[in-house]
């Protein structure tokens, strides 16, 4: 069982609070290069940082540089997680990822491929169904630079988020509550809430939070049902990577030299709730059939009754 991996001798919930603080510090340190680059650029042009809002700050550098420096903070988090799990919890890094003897890369690639193909197909259909909503944004050199940055950095970003929420914190809250539904709900709400300040929310309204929290819930269900994070890792990487490469807009969190730019007037309606209440349940059925999931109630809401033992990771 994935959550049992946290039930180690002398492992306590307060350690997860300390570990979370260290991960936040790592993230802040990772943001300093972006801040430094923006301040340096502004100083060279005589502009004042304090008179600018966040969107203006993000436009000081070129899009590729901004994207790389934005994602750098997640790389700091990604490489800090193994240190935190080892030094604070005396836990194997692998056990924050999966309950299997080793990480199942075939699961990661299957989930990635499934969602990537779906996104590409939907984007193509949307483009031909409403061509007036898009403009051709492709420029070879900036796109190739974007491709290199995205392929390297976006998996680090999404993996850092998955390790933090579906791995580290989910196990921590499981240790605290001794059940499965509490860590599933709490990590999903926290994950979604951290997207509250995304420009998409300001542009389309708070209803977008249904998508963010619903996505967190979907990824949490994947993790608990499959006893590991591999499927959520693949899905999340595909979601952000394909989006960054295919479509950008003036109001999206990721401003990139993508192939297309969405110039439609953003509105939050059916397209926000469709993934949460239709597409994600269908994907769960697909994964359940492929990997033979059973006993949903126990895996998602059951109690964790296994006591802390001397050795649980063998």
């Amino acid at each position: 069982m994935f959550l049992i991996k946290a039930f180690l001798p002398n492992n306590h919930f307060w350690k997860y609070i300390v570990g979370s603080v260290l991960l936040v510090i790592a993230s802040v340190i990772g943001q300093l290069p972006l801040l430094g680059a923006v301040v340096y650029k502004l100083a060279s042009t005589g502009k004042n940082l304090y008179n600018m809002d966040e969107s203006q700050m993000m436009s000081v550098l070129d899009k590729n540089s901004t994207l790389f420096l934005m994602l750098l903070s997640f790389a700091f988090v990604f490489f800090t997680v193994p240190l935190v799990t080892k030094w604070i919890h005396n836990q194997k890094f692998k056990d924050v990822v999966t309950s299997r003897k080793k990480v199942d890369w075939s699961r990661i690639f299957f989930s990635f491929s499934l969602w990537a193909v779906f996104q590409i197909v939907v984007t193509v259909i949307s483009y031909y169904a409403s061509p007036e909503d898009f403009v051709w944004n492709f420029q070879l050199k900036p796109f190739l630079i974007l491709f290199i940055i995205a392929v390297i950095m976006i998996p680090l970003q999404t993996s850092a988020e998955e390790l933090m929420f579906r791995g580290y914190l989910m196990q921590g809250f499981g240790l605290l509550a001794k059940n499965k539904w509490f860590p599933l709900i709490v990590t999903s709400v926290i994950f979604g809430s951290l997207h509250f300040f995304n420009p998409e929310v300001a542009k389309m309204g708070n209803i977008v939070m249904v998508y963010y929290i619903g996505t967190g819930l979907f990824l949490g269900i994947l993790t608990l049902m499959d006893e590991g994070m591999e499927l959520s890792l693949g899905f999340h990487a595909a979601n952000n990577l394909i989006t960054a490469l295919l479509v950008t807009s003036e109001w999206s969190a990721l401003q990139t030299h993508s192939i297309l730019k969405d110039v439609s007037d953003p509105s939050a309606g059916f397209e926000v709730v469709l993934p949460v209440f239709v597409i994600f349940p269908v994907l769960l059925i697909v994964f359940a059939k492929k990997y033979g999931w059973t006993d949903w109630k126990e895996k998602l809401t059951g109690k964790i009754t296994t006591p802390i033992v001397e050795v649980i990771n063998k």
Side-chain angles (χ1 to χ4, degrees), residues 75-255:
F76 274 69
V77 174
F78 177 85
F79 290 109
T80 303
V81 172
L83 302 179
V84 168
T85 56
K86 179 180 180 180
W87 293 344
I88 296 181
H89 305 279
N90 194 28
Q91 184 182 23
K92 298 176 182 177
F93 176 56
K94 185 271 297 182
D95 290 334
V96 183
V97 179
T98 185
S99 61
R100 284 169 272 275
K101 292 184 178 181
K102 60 181 181 179
V103 175
D104 188 345
W105 287 93
S106 67
R107 277 174 153 84
I108 296 175
F109 291 132
F110 175 75
S111 181
F112 179 94
S113 300
L114 181 65
W115 191 239
V117 170
F118 178 84
Q119 285 186 290
I120 292 171
V121 170
V122 169
T123 301
V124 171
I125 292 174
S126 299
Y127 177 76
Y128 283 103
S130 303
E132 69 278 4
D133 290 341
F134 300 91
V135 295
W136 193 253
N137 192 53
F138 179 77
Q139 300 176 61
L140 180 59
K141 184 177 179 179
F143 179 80
L144 290 177
I145 297 173
L146 164 66
F147 184 84
I148 294 171
I149 293 173
V151 167
I152 295 173
M153 299 299 294
I154 286 182
L156 289 177
Q157 176 238 328
T158 56
S159 296
E161 292 186 1
E162 290 307 302
L163 286 168
M164 183 71 176
F165 293 100
R166 258 62 66 179
Y168 188 72
L169 286 180
M170 183 169 279
Q171 289 186 352
F173 283 116
L175 181 65
L176 173 68
K178 306 296 189 296
N179 64 43
K180 301 168 187 175
W181 65 264
F182 184 79
L184 173 61
I185 298 300
V186 172
T187 56
S188 301
V189 171
I190 295 174
F191 174 79
S193 298
L194 290 178
H195 291 79
F196 181 76
F197 297 103
N198 279 18
E200 291 90 341
V201 178
K203 194 71 175 180
M204 294 187 285
N206 291 340
I207 191 174
V208 180
M209 296 304 296
V210 172
Y211 172 77
Y212 287 128
I213 295 175
T215 300
L217 187 64
F218 167 69
L219 295 172
I221 292 173
L222 285 183
T223 299
L224 291 181
M225 289 303 303
D226 202 47
E227 300 290 1
M229 286 171 40
E230 289 96 336
L231 297 179
S232 67
L233 285 168
F235 176 93
H236 202 162
N239 187 74
N240 289 27
L241 179 60
I242 300 304
T243 299
L245 294 176
L246 281 188
V247 184
T248 190
S249 66
E250 294 295 337
W251 42 266
S252 62
L254 290 179
Q255 298 288 317

Side-chain angles (χ1 to χ4, degrees), residues 45-64:
T45 58
K47 295 181 180 179
N48 192 334
L49 174 66
Y50 300 102
N51 295 328
M52 305 179 70
D53 58 29
E54 183 178 356
S55 62
Q56 291 173 321
M57 287 176 58
M58 292 300 99
S59 63
V60 170
L61 306 174
D62 68 88
K63 291 181 179 179
N64 282 331

Side-chain angles (χ1 to χ4, degrees), residues 8-12 14-15 88 308:
L8 295 165
N10 300 316
N11 198 21
H12 306 282
W14 66 264
K15 292 186 176 183
I88 296 181
I308 296 178

